[in-house]
Amino acid sequence: MQRHWSLVFLLTILNLTTCALAEPAHDYGALPLIDARADYQGAMADQVAYLVEQGETLSVDEVQSLISANPVVLTHPETSVLTNGINSGAIWLVANIFNPTDDPILRRVSVGTGWLERVDFVLTTEGQLPQHFVSGDRIALGHRSIAKRIPSADYPFPPGETRLLLRVETADPMVVPLYFSSIAVSHSREQSEAIFYSFVYGVMFALSAYNLMLFAGLRKRRYLFYSLYTSSFVAVAASYNGIGMALLWPDAVGWQQWAPPLFMLCFVSSGLAFATSFLKTRRYRPWLHKTIQTIGVAYFALFGVFFALDEQGLALQLAFLVVQVFTVLMLYMGVSSWMGGNQSARYFMLGTLASVIGASVTALTVNGMITYSQLGYYAVDIGMVVDAMLLMLALADLARKNKVARVTAERTAQIDLLTGLNNRRGFLPVAESLWSLATRKDSKMCVAMIDIDHFKNINDQYGHAVGDRILKKIADELDKSRRKSDLLARWGGEEFTLLLPETDEAEALKVAERFRHNIEQLVVNDCGRMIRCTISVGVASRHAQHVTLEHAISKADEELYQAKIQGRNQISTGRTSDAA
């Protein structure tokens, strides 16, 4: 037993001594190892390690030395997308790529974020010169290793191990969705993004163009502000995701650095201008209107200072801060306006809520406060589409209510408020149309003028309140006595007019007699006093092609005068002619 333990002890010492004397193969073993044959469909930052630059910029050799001397300087991400907040400096992503085959394997390494300022891909293989690829917003599109909006590097990984060192620098939110895939998978991913952005930008541009046309036609500033609001969001998104630089300003590197905060200024300003115009804050909340104006002026001033000092990071922080203030103000205005009785504001409130939720989810995602997901990353775009469509509904609802109010006002202007009948303004356009139709068809038509006999005496004896009651009762009786096709209106005072389409003189006299008889039988009870009234009627018929409605009404009025001269409570008739 003693010899057995002695043998075990001797073998252990021998094994430890051998390990201590042996030369290490190389330092690659301390790093994550990626199989070059892998074709990752999604982001895979959790398959690499990273370190954050502290102070001065590190060279590739310095990073290599740091890793060799102390591998614990590396941090291993727990999520597939690395996020590190705004103005967080530069980071290095490091991994070993192993190709176990005898042939090179072509793979594309890319970072799926369009706003990164500079991305350096360095690939080192033992016995070969390092390969260096550059990309990012600080480099003109044509000077990048691959002229794409997304930083990318295509590399045929040779047999054996290759070290990947990837440096990312930006003043914007540090979001690094690292992709390692075949060219085909990369193209498929880019096509999916293109479809999504085409839908988002298509919807926003369509709404913007439609409202611009509405502004051109209606001259309502809220349509112009809404158009600027939607188009400026597209400008913000396009400047951030690299589409703007790829399509519109491929060589304007300086402009690309300042375009995002500047377009965010335009987005906030136009959004607040639309909100104040739509909700009429200048009239209903002047203090809020002045506060919003003050915020806008202060933002412009600070942005100008940061631009003069070339402090892009501070300008971005200010922009994100103002966007947060903007969303709070928009939500507050929507809620308060809705609570104040503006029903159209409910769409405004819901739309703003959608954009606030979307922007918040994206902000939390890119700042690493919630787990990265494609839905979270694109939440701001989805929220803005919902917001834009709901705001369009708000504008449509407001336009509908304005139209209803206008039609109601026009209709009210055509209605006699006491009797509920048409007044002259409501009667004449319809009567003119019917008269013109009768003239073209050479059909029969008559006009009657009706007057309440001795109505002035009723007012003098019983008072105007009773007179109004009697006038209303007579109007109701006339309205019940007319035929459905007849057009009745209060002409003024105690006079009424009646247009009788497709009616000859004999039939018009029958209608007029029915009116006279029904009014004669009408009794109005005023506190026990029985009040009776009679009417006189003048009728004129159309007997010539060129007789106008005005001429016919004038003739009927003459006949009404004759009926009164002859003793009232009767009907007088006459014909109109060209010579009359």
Side-chain angles (χ1 to χ4, degrees):
M1 190 67 174
Q2 183 71 25
R3 284 181 297 178
H4 174 74
W5 281 109
S6 299
L7 181 60
V8 171
F9 179 77
L10 180 62
L11 291 174
T12 302
I13 294 298
L14 181 61
N15 182 59
L16 292 173
T17 304
T18 303
C19 292
L21 294 175
E23 289 288 331
H26 45 66
D27 56 1
Y28 286 177
L31 296 176
L33 190 66
I34 298 173
D35 192 332
R37 296 170 298 181
D39 198 358
Y40 291 93
Q41 302 296 313
M44 40 79 69
D46 53 345
Q47 302 296 315
V48 302
Y50 77 96
L51 63 87
V52 180
E53 282 189 356
Q54 303 292 336
E56 295 183 358
T57 301
L58 298 176
S59 66
V60 173
D61 290 339
E62 288 172 334
V63 172
Q64 296 272 45
S65 299
L66 278 174
I67 296 172
S68 298
N70 187 15
V72 297
V73 299
L74 295 174
T75 303
H76 295 267
E78 297 181 357
T79 59
S80 59
V81 176
L82 184 62
T83 55
N84 217 25
I86 298 177
N87 210 15
S88 56
I91 62 171
W92 287 83
L93 281 75
V94 187
N96 290 329
I97 314 297
F98 178 64
N99 178 2
T101 69
D102 296 329
D103 300 310
I105 299 176
L106 180 62
R107 286 290 180 262
R108 173 169 289 173
V109 183
S110 60
V111 179
T113 302
W115 64 71
L116 303 175
E117 294 178 6
R118 183 179 176 93
V119 180
D120 293 87
F121 302 85
V122 179
L123 296 124
T124 63
T125 304
E126 189 174 349
Q128 298 184 16
L129 292 175
Q131 299 295 310
H132 187 196
F133 302 87
V134 294
S135 187
D137 284 352
R138 288 182 182 173
I139 301 172
L141 198 71
H143 296 162
R144 300 177 186 179
S145 299
I146 299 180
K148 299 175 69 66
R149 70 178 184 88
I150 297 297
S152 304
D154 294 342
Y155 186 69
F157 288 90
E161 288 186 348
T162 299
R163 176 165 292 182
L164 167 66
L165 297 105
L166 195 154
R167 184 180 184 274
V168 181
E169 180 182 359
T170 186
D172 294 280
M174 179 70 75
V175 181
V176 186
L178 180 65
Y179 295 101
F180 183 87
S181 61
S182 63
I183 306 299
V185 169
S186 178
H187 283 167
S188 177
R189 184 168 54 250
E190 291 172 2
Q191 288 176 353
S192 298
E193 283 189 346
I195 292 172
F196 174 79
Y197 282 126
S198 297
F199 168 75
V200 172
Y201 295 167
V203 169
M204 301 298 277
F205 269 128
L207 292 175
S208 178
Y210 177 65
N211 280 273
L212 196 59
M213 289 188 292
L214 287 177
F215 168 72
L218 302 176
R219 295 297 175 183
K220 298 289 187 180
R221 287 189 298 174
R222 58 176 173 266
Y223 295 110
L224 174 63
F225 294 146
Y226 179 83
S227 178
L228 293 174
Y229 177 60
T230 52
S231 59
S232 61
F233 171 77
V234 174
V236 172
S239 65
Y240 251 115
N241 58 33
I243 293 177
M245 188 172 190
L247 298 179
L248 302 176
W249 54 84
D251 298 320
V253 176
W255 166 250
Q256 176 61 23
Q257 301 304 304
W258 288 95
L262 180 59
F263 283 140
M264 289 171 77
L265 164 64
C266 298
F267 171 69
V268 169
S269 301
S270 58
L272 290 175
F274 167 73
T276 54
S277 175
F278 179 81
L279 301 175
K280 300 179 181 178
T281 56
R282 183 189 294 273
R283 179 188 303 175
Y284 298 112
R285 292 175 177 81
W287 66 270
L288 180 60
H289 193 83
K290 290 181 180 178
T291 300
I292 290 172
Q293 288 181 326
T294 302
I295 291 174
V297 171
Y299 180 81
F300 270 108
L302 284 174
F303 181 84
V305 171
F306 293 147
F307 180 79
L309 297 175
D310 197 25
E311 290 288 349
Q312 184 201 1
L314 292 177
L316 282 168
Q317 291 179 357
L318 175 65
F320 280 105
L321 174 62
V322 172
V323 167
Q324 294 173 17
V325 174
F326 160 74
T327 54
V328 172
L329 283 174
M330 292 280 279
L331 192 58
Y332 169 75
M333 285 190 288
V335 172
S336 61
S337 182
W338 182 53
M339 296 295 289
N342 184 356
Q343 293 301 309
S344 298
R346 67 185 184 275
Y347 296 110
F348 181 94
M349 181 185 64
L350 292 174
T352 303
L353 188 61
S355 65
V356 168
I357 292 174
S360 299
V361 170
T362 297
L364 293 173
T365 300
V366 300
N367 281 285
M369 297 179 183
I370 60 176
T371 303
Y372 181 93
S373 66
Q374 291 285 359
L375 182 61
Y377 184 73
Y378 294 119
V380 63
D381 301 282
I382 298 170
M384 271 304 301
V385 169
V386 175
D387 179 26
M389 297 180 74
L390 286 171
L391 290 183
M392 190 65 219
L393 285 176
L395 286 171
D397 185 62
L398 183 62
R400 179 187 62 80
K401 289 182 177 179
N402 287 340
K403 182 178 179 180
V404 170
R406 186 172 62 253
V407 171
T408 301
E410 291 174 354
R411 183 58 183 158
T412 301
Q414 296 173 354
I415 296 294
D416 177 62
L417 297 180
L418 176 62
T419 63
L421 300 178
N422 285 321
N423 57 23
R424 287 196 190 195
R425 183 180 294 181
F427 172 82
L428 286 174
V430 181
E432 288 281 6
S433 178
L434 292 173
W435 192 271
S436 297
L437 182 63
T439 301
R440 288 196 302 270
K441 292 184 175 181
D442 195 22
S443 59
K444 301 170 184 177
M445 182 169 286
C446 290
V447 177
M449 294 297 293
I450 305 167
D451 185 82
I452 303 174
D453 296 329
H454 301 297
F455 189 72
K456 183 178 183 302
N457 294 338
I458 294 174
N459 277 332
D460 292 342
Q461 183 177 352
Y462 299 103
H464 287 281
V466 175
D468 286 347
R469 282 186 57 209
I470 292 173
L471 194 63
K472 178 70 169 63
K473 287 282 188 180
I474 291 174
D476 291 343
E477 186 60 39
L478 292 176
D479 194 41
K480 288 191 295 184
S481 300
R482 71 178 177 86
R483 302 171 302 180
K484 289 185 178 180
S485 59
D486 296 339
L487 185 64
L488 178 67
R490 183 183 179 188
W491 196 246
E494 66 271 20
E495 278 193 326
F496 299 87
T497 186
L498 182 71
L499 186 72
L500 301 101
E502 303 291 339
T503 304
D504 60 15
E505 185 178 324
E507 182 66 23
L509 286 173
K510 291 181 182 179
V511 174
E513 175 58 28
R514 183 168 69 250
F515 277 24
R516 189 203 64 78
H517 177 267
N518 291 346
I519 298 302
E520 187 179 34
Q521 300 301 313
L522 183 67
V523 178
V524 178
N525 187 341
D526 178 54
C527 299
R529 296 176 297 183
M530 301 302 173
I531 304 174
R532 296 178 180 273
C533 295
T534 61
I535 59 172
S536 298
V537 184
V539 177
S541 60
R542 192 193 71 81
H543 281 279
Q545 281 285 353
H546 300 96
V547 174
T548 65
L549 175 64
E550 182 181 3
H551 185 191
I553 292 174
S554 177
K555 181 63 178 176
D557 200 47
E558 291 177 7
E559 293 300 325
L560 173 62
Y561 180 71
Q562 290 298 321
K564 287 183 173 294
I565 290 177
Q566 295 169 9
R568 293 184 172 83
N569 192 23
Q570 59 183 276
I571 302 164
S572 177
T573 184
R575 295 187 175 187
T576 58
S577 66
D578 290 331

